[in-house]
PDB file of all heavy atoms in Angstrom:
ATOM      1  N   ARG A  85     136.708 -43.458  31.645  1.00  0.00           N
ATOM      2  CA  ARG A  85     137.733 -42.910  30.756  1.00  0.00           C
ATOM      3  C   ARG A  85     137.230 -41.670  30.011  1.00  0.00           C
ATOM      4  O   ARG A  85     136.110 -41.655  29.508  1.00  0.00           O
ATOM      5  CB  ARG A  85     138.120 -44.008  29.746  1.00  0.00           C
ATOM      6  CG  ARG A  85     139.347 -43.745  28.883  1.00  0.00           C
ATOM      7  CD  ARG A  85     139.143 -42.995  27.600  1.00  0.00           C
ATOM      8  NE  ARG A  85     138.227 -43.491  26.634  1.00  0.00           N
ATOM      9  CZ  ARG A  85     138.558 -43.977  25.424  1.00  0.00           C
ATOM     10  NH1 ARG A  85     139.806 -44.084  25.092  1.00  0.00           N
ATOM     11  NH2 ARG A  85     137.626 -44.341  24.569  1.00  0.00           N
ATOM     12  N   GLU A  87     138.918 -39.037  26.900  1.00  0.00           N
ATOM     13  CA  GLU A  87     140.069 -38.857  26.015  1.00  0.00           C
ATOM     14  C   GLU A  87     140.438 -37.382  25.944  1.00  0.00           C
ATOM     15  O   GLU A  87     139.581 -36.524  25.833  1.00  0.00           O
ATOM     16  CB  GLU A  87     139.798 -39.368  24.601  1.00  0.00           C
ATOM     17  CG  GLU A  87     139.022 -40.666  24.493  1.00  0.00           C
ATOM     18  CD  GLU A  87     137.520 -40.426  24.382  1.00  0.00           C
ATOM     19  OE1 GLU A  87     136.948 -39.635  25.169  1.00  0.00           O
ATOM     20  OE2 GLU A  87     136.905 -41.034  23.496  1.00  0.00           O
ATOM     21  N   ASP A  89     142.744 -35.915  23.645  1.00  0.00           N
ATOM     22  CA  ASP A  89     143.315 -35.331  22.423  1.00  0.00           C
ATOM     23  C   ASP A  89     142.284 -34.885  21.394  1.00  0.00           C
ATOM     24  O   ASP A  89     141.162 -35.366  21.344  1.00  0.00           O
ATOM     25  CB  ASP A  89     144.323 -36.302  21.772  1.00  0.00           C
ATOM     26  CG  ASP A  89     143.766 -37.698  21.520  1.00  0.00           C
ATOM     27  OD1 ASP A  89     142.693 -38.038  22.061  1.00  0.00           O
ATOM     28  OD2 ASP A  89     144.412 -38.453  20.774  1.00  0.00           O
ATOM     29  N   LEU A  91     142.042 -33.542  16.982  1.00  0.00           N
ATOM     30  CA  LEU A  91     142.504 -34.032  15.677  1.00  0.00           C
ATOM     31  C   LEU A  91     143.124 -32.901  14.856  1.00  0.00           C
ATOM     32  O   LEU A  91     142.763 -31.735  15.020  1.00  0.00           O
ATOM     33  CB  LEU A  91     141.307 -34.593  14.902  1.00  0.00           C
ATOM     34  CG  LEU A  91     140.781 -35.947  15.381  1.00  0.00           C
ATOM     35  CD1 LEU A  91     139.340 -36.148  14.957  1.00  0.00           C
ATOM     36  CD2 LEU A  91     141.661 -37.074  14.859  1.00  0.00           C
ATOM     37  N   ALA A 110     137.119 -32.717  16.914  1.00  0.00           N
ATOM     38  CA  ALA A 110     136.138 -33.174  15.923  1.00  0.00           C
ATOM     39  C   ALA A 110     135.655 -34.585  16.229  1.00  0.00           C
ATOM     40  O   ALA A 110     134.916 -35.176  15.446  1.00  0.00           O
ATOM     41  CB  ALA A 110     136.752 -33.127  14.524  1.00  0.00           C
ATOM     42  N   CYS A 111     136.081 -35.132  17.382  1.00  0.00           N
ATOM     43  CA  CYS A 111     135.642 -36.483  17.747  1.00  0.00           C
ATOM     44  C   CYS A 111     134.809 -36.455  19.025  1.00  0.00           C
ATOM     45  O   CYS A 111     134.508 -37.486  19.603  1.00  0.00           O
ATOM     46  CB  CYS A 111     136.852 -37.404  17.898  1.00  0.00           C
ATOM     47  SG  CYS A 111     136.414 -39.155  17.875  1.00  0.00           S
ATOM     48  N   GLY A 112     134.470 -35.244  19.501  1.00  0.00           N
ATOM     49  CA  GLY A 112     133.608 -35.142  20.679  1.00  0.00           C
ATOM     50  C   GLY A 112     134.324 -35.302  22.005  1.00  0.00           C
ATOM     51  O   GLY A 112     133.671 -35.371  23.056  1.00  0.00           O
ATOM     52  N   HIS A 113     135.656 -35.335  22.003  1.00  0.00           N
ATOM     53  CA  HIS A 113     136.363 -35.564  23.270  1.00  0.00           C
ATOM     54  C   HIS A 113     136.161 -34.400  24.246  1.00  0.00           C
ATOM     55  O   HIS A 113     136.238 -34.589  25.457  1.00  0.00           O
ATOM     56  CB  HIS A 113     137.850 -35.812  23.011  1.00  0.00           C
ATOM     57  CG  HIS A 113     138.130 -37.055  22.208  1.00  0.00           C
ATOM     58  ND1 HIS A 113     139.389 -37.448  21.822  1.00  0.00           N
ATOM     59  CD2 HIS A 113     137.284 -38.007  21.725  1.00  0.00           C
ATOM     60  CE1 HIS A 113     139.308 -38.572  21.127  1.00  0.00           C
ATOM     61  NE2 HIS A 113     138.053 -38.925  21.044  1.00  0.00           N
ATOM     62  N   HIS A 116     133.063 -35.422  26.039  1.00  0.00           N
ATOM     63  CA  HIS A 116     133.331 -36.535  26.961  1.00  0.00           C
ATOM     64  C   HIS A 116     134.030 -36.019  28.236  1.00  0.00           C
ATOM     65  O   HIS A 116     133.693 -36.429  29.351  1.00  0.00           O
ATOM     66  CB  HIS A 116     134.227 -37.589  26.313  1.00  0.00           C
ATOM     67  CG  HIS A 116     133.714 -38.127  25.007  1.00  0.00           C
ATOM     68  ND1 HIS A 116     134.517 -38.812  24.113  1.00  0.00           N
ATOM     69  CD2 HIS A 116     132.485 -38.091  24.434  1.00  0.00           C
ATOM     70  CE1 HIS A 116     133.803 -39.161  23.057  1.00  0.00           C
ATOM     71  NE2 HIS A 116     132.568 -38.732  23.222  1.00  0.00           N
ATOM     72  N   GLU A 144     144.396 -41.008  22.148  1.00  0.00           N
ATOM     73  CA  GLU A 144     143.416 -41.982  21.649  1.00  0.00           C
ATOM     74  C   GLU A 144     143.464 -42.047  20.133  1.00  0.00           C
ATOM     75  O   GLU A 144     143.185 -43.077  19.544  1.00  0.00           O
ATOM     76  CB  GLU A 144     141.991 -41.601  22.112  1.00  0.00           C
ATOM     77  CG  GLU A 144     140.950 -42.688  21.844  1.00  0.00           C
ATOM     78  CD  GLU A 144     140.396 -42.660  20.442  1.00  0.00           C
ATOM     79  OE1 GLU A 144     140.157 -41.586  19.896  1.00  0.00           O
ATOM     80  OE2 GLU A 144     140.190 -43.749  19.855  1.00  0.00           O
ATOM     81  N   GLU A 145     143.809 -40.925  19.500  1.00  0.00           N
ATOM     82  CA  GLU A 145     143.689 -40.813  18.043  1.00  0.00           C
ATOM     83  C   GLU A 145     144.925 -41.258  17.294  1.00  0.00           C
ATOM     84  O   GLU A 145     144.969 -41.151  16.073  1.00  0.00           O
ATOM     85  CB  GLU A 145     143.381 -39.352  17.654  1.00  0.00           C
ATOM     86  CG  GLU A 145     142.117 -38.782  18.280  1.00  0.00           C
ATOM     87  CD  GLU A 145     140.851 -39.278  17.589  1.00  0.00           C
ATOM     88  OE1 GLU A 145     140.945 -40.146  16.704  1.00  0.00           O
ATOM     89  OE2 GLU A 145     139.763 -38.784  17.961  1.00  0.00           O
ATOM     90  N   VAL A 171     132.391 -43.791  27.268  1.00  0.00           N
ATOM     91  CA  VAL A 171     131.206 -43.340  26.523  1.00  0.00           C
ATOM     92  C   VAL A 171     131.714 -42.555  25.322  1.00  0.00           C
ATOM     93  O   VAL A 171     132.642 -41.745  25.462  1.00  0.00           O
ATOM     94  CB  VAL A 171     130.288 -42.456  27.394  1.00  0.00           C
ATOM     95  CG1 VAL A 171     129.084 -41.987  26.574  1.00  0.00           C
ATOM     96  CG2 VAL A 171     129.819 -43.220  28.628  1.00  0.00           C
ATOM     97  N   HIS A 172     131.148 -42.805  24.160  1.00  0.00           N
ATOM     98  CA  HIS A 172     131.546 -42.059  22.965  1.00  0.00           C
ATOM     99  C   HIS A 172     130.310 -41.605  22.206  1.00  0.00           C
ATOM    100  O   HIS A 172     129.367 -42.371  22.039  1.00  0.00           O
ATOM    101  CB  HIS A 172     132.431 -42.919  22.057  1.00  0.00           C
ATOM    102  CG  HIS A 172     133.357 -42.088  21.211  1.00  0.00           C
ATOM    103  ND1 HIS A 172     132.902 -41.216  20.250  1.00  0.00           N
ATOM    104  CD2 HIS A 172     134.706 -41.967  21.212  1.00  0.00           C
ATOM    105  CE1 HIS A 172     133.942 -40.609  19.687  1.00  0.00           C
ATOM    106  NE2 HIS A 172     135.048 -41.042  20.247  1.00  0.00           N
ATOM    107  N   LEU A 173     130.336 -40.356  21.754  1.00  0.00           N
ATOM    108  CA  LEU A 173     129.276 -39.869  20.873  1.00  0.00           C
ATOM    109  C   LEU A 173     129.257 -40.712  19.604  1.00  0.00           C
ATOM    110  O   LEU A 173     130.292 -41.176  19.147  1.00  0.00           O
ATOM    111  CB  LEU A 173     129.524 -38.406  20.507  1.00  0.00           C
ATOM    112  CG  LEU A 173     129.496 -37.413  21.669  1.00  0.00           C
ATOM    113  CD1 LEU A 173     129.789 -36.009  21.148  1.00  0.00           C
ATOM    114  CD2 LEU A 173     128.156 -37.438  22.371  1.00  0.00           C
ATOM    115  N   ALA A 338     136.998 -48.055  15.348  1.00  0.00           N
ATOM    116  CA  ALA A 338     137.968 -48.639  16.277  1.00  0.00           C
ATOM    117  C   ALA A 338     138.282 -47.604  17.345  1.00  0.00           C
ATOM    118  O   ALA A 338     138.198 -46.404  17.095  1.00  0.00           O
ATOM    119  CB  ALA A 338     139.245 -49.039  15.552  1.00  0.00           C
ATOM    120  N   ASP A 339     138.574 -48.079  18.536  1.00  0.00           N
ATOM    121  CA  ASP A 339     138.871 -47.181  19.650  1.00  0.00           C
ATOM    122  C   ASP A 339     139.844 -47.919  20.547  1.00  0.00           C
ATOM    123  O   ASP A 339     139.657 -49.121  20.800  1.00  0.00           O
ATOM    124  CB  ASP A 339     137.572 -46.865  20.415  1.00  0.00           C
ATOM    125  CG  ASP A 339     137.753 -45.726  21.420  1.00  0.00           C
ATOM    126  OD1 ASP A 339     138.650 -45.825  22.282  1.00  0.00           O
ATOM    127  OD2 ASP A 339     136.998 -44.764  21.348  1.00  0.00           O
ATOM    128  N   MET A 352     131.786 -50.034  26.724  1.00  0.00           N
ATOM    129  CA  MET A 352     131.739 -48.816  25.922  1.00  0.00           C
ATOM    130  C   MET A 352     130.295 -48.565  25.528  1.00  0.00           C
ATOM    131  O   MET A 352     129.642 -49.441  24.949  1.00  0.00           O
ATOM    132  CB  MET A 352     132.614 -48.977  24.675  1.00  0.00           C
ATOM    133  CG  MET A 352     132.469 -47.848  23.675  1.00  0.00           C
ATOM    134  SD  MET A 352     132.972 -46.245  24.345  1.00  0.00           S
ATOM    135  CE  MET A 352     134.651 -46.170  23.764  1.00  0.00           C
ATOM    136  N   LEU A 363     131.426 -37.856  12.859  1.00  0.00           N
ATOM    137  CA  LEU A 363     132.635 -37.685  13.666  1.00  0.00           C
ATOM    138  C   LEU A 363     133.818 -37.423  12.726  1.00  0.00           C
ATOM    139  O   LEU A 363     133.862 -37.958  11.615  1.00  0.00           O
ATOM    140  CB  LEU A 363     132.912 -38.967  14.455  1.00  0.00           C
ATOM    141  CG  LEU A 363     131.902 -39.335  15.554  1.00  0.00           C
ATOM    142  CD1 LEU A 363     132.026 -40.806  15.902  1.00  0.00           C
ATOM    143  CD2 LEU A 363     132.132 -38.480  16.788  1.00  0.00           C
ATOM    144  N   HIS A 364     134.761 -36.623  13.180  1.00  0.00           N
ATOM    145  CA  HIS A 364     136.003 -36.273  12.459  1.00  0.00           C
ATOM    146  C   HIS A 364     135.761 -35.278  11.316  1.00  0.00           C
ATOM    147  O   HIS A 364     136.696 -34.939  10.593  1.00  0.00           O
ATOM    148  CB  HIS A 364     136.743 -37.517  11.918  1.00  0.00           C
ATOM    149  CG  HIS A 364     137.328 -38.373  13.006  1.00  0.00           C
ATOM    150  ND1 HIS A 364     138.393 -39.236  12.822  1.00  0.00           N
ATOM    151  CD2 HIS A 364     137.013 -38.485  14.323  1.00  0.00           C
ATOM    152  CE1 HIS A 364     138.686 -39.854  13.955  1.00  0.00           C
ATOM    153  NE2 HIS A 364     137.847 -39.412  14.881  1.00  0.00           N
TER     154      HIS A 364
HETATM  155 ZN1   ZN B   1     137.022 -40.406  19.667  1.00  0.00          ZN
END
Side-chain angles (χ1 to χ4, degrees):
R85 191 273 303 248
E87 320 92 312
D89 53 346
L91 286 158
C111 196
H113 296 178
H116 305 163
E144 190 277 320
E145 302 283 6
V171 179
H172 206 296
L173 297 179
D339 191 305
M352 171 62 95
L363 293 161
H364 292 204

